[in-house]
Amino acid sequence: MDSALAARLVATWFGCGRSPIAPGTVGTLGALPLHLALRALGPIPYAVAVAAITAAGTWAAQREAERLAEDDPQSVVVDEVAGVLLALLLARGTGIKGEILAVVLFRVFDIWKPGAIDRVQHLEPQGVGIMADDVLAGVFAGLAARWLAR
C-alpha cells in the first residue's frame, strides 16, 4: 500500500469521512468499536493508542489537506476519532452515563468550538491545526463528563 492511500484511509477513518451526511459524527461513531476494545486493555494501553492515533492522524490529515488543497477537509475525520477516544479515556470509570455524556459533549465542543478550541484549529502546519481542536475538545468533554457524571 502506498503512503497516499494509507494517509487517505487513516484520515477518513477507513471511509467514515466519506459519508455524505454528518461525516464528523460518522467518524465519531466509527471510533466507538475501537473504544470498546481499548477499554478492556486498561488506561495505559488506551492512552498509548490515543497518542499513536493522534500522531498518525496529524500526518494523515496533513497529507489529505495537501492532496485536496483544503485547509480542513470535511472528509478528514481522524481528528474526531482521536478527540472522542480522549474524551472517553478521561471519562473512564463514570459508567455508561458518563461515556454517553463524553461523546455528546465532545460533539458539542467540536461543533461549537468555544475559546481556545477555536484558536488552536489555526495552528500550523495544517495537520496540527486539524487535530488540535478536536484533541482539545476531547479534553474538555472528558473532564466535563467526569465532573457531571459523579
Side-chain angles (χ1 to χ4, degrees), residues 18-123:
R18 298 186 58 148
S19 171
I21 300 168
T25 299
V26 173
T28 298
L29 296 174
L32 297 182
L34 181 56
H35 162 69
L36 295 174
L38 289 173
R39 83 172 170 189
L41 298 177
I44 293 179
Y46 195 125
V48 169
V50 171
I53 290 166
T54 301
T58 301
W59 166 79
Q62 181 69 38
R63 294 282 309 261
E64 271 298 278
E66 289 170 356
R67 184 182 76 79
L68 297 170
E70 296 178 26
D71 288 336
D72 190 354
Q74 238 186 337
S75 62
V76 173
V77 297
V78 68
D79 49 337
E80 275 82 8
V81 172
V84 77
L85 289 175
L86 184 54
L88 288 163
L89 175 62
L90 292 171
R92 184 179 180 86
T94 60
I96 191 71
K97 175 184 167 186
E99 289 186 359
I100 291 170
L101 192 55
V103 172
V104 169
L105 287 172
F106 169 72
R107 288 305 296 147
V108 168
F109 288 138
D110 183 32
I111 293 165
W112 177 33
K113 297 191 189 317
I117 297 171
D118 181 56
R119 285 190 299 278
V120 299
Q121 74 177 337
H122 303 291
L123 292 174

